[in-house]
Amino acid sequence: STLGELFQDEPAVVSSPWSQVTVQALLEHQSGAPANTQWHQLEAKYPNDLFAARRAMLLELVQRKRSPTPGFEYSNLGYATLWKS
């Protein structure tokens, strides 16, 4: 599955270059996702709403430029992106 398929209800995901990233690429750290995000800011903004925090994280990710040829980069953000699937 791709992010575009998993998050088809999120127009920002579907219309981004990240829409074609597969679950396998995320799990194998081959998606081009950065290692981390501003976890403490998400926690502060959404202290009791993990769903909202993860949605905000996903929307932040798809705003980032994605390399056309990503290589291996260990990414906690890649794993956390799969919150809904």
Side-chain angles (χ1 to χ4, degrees), residues 2 9-12 15 17 21-22 31 36 38 40 42 45-46 62 66 70 72 83-85:
T2 65
D9 58 333
E10 291 288 351
S15 65
V21 171
T22 64
S31 69
N36 286 296
Q38 300 296 323
H40 61 283
L42 286 172
K45 189 169 183 179
Y46 307 100
V62 300
R66 182 169 183 262
F72 180 86
W83 61 274
K84 182 180 175 184
S85 57

Side-chain angles (χ1 to χ4, degrees), residues 25-55:
L26 287 165
L27 295 176
E28 293 178 349
H29 308 288
Q30 298 285 333
S31 69
N36 286 296
T37 190
Q38 300 296 323
W39 303 112
H40 61 283
Q41 289 178 355
L42 286 172
E43 185 178 13
K45 189 169 183 179
Y46 307 100
N48 297 310
D49 193 345
L50 182 59
F51 184 83
R54 294 276 175 98
R55 181 178 181 275

Side-chain angles (χ1 to χ4, degrees), residues 48-71:
N48 297 310
D49 193 345
L50 182 59
F51 184 83
R54 294 276 175 98
R55 181 178 181 275
M57 182 199 64
L58 171 67
L59 296 177
E60 176 189 316
L61 173 65
V62 300
Q63 298 287 321
R64 294 175 183 237
K65 186 174 180 174
R66 182 169 183 262
S67 170
T69 56

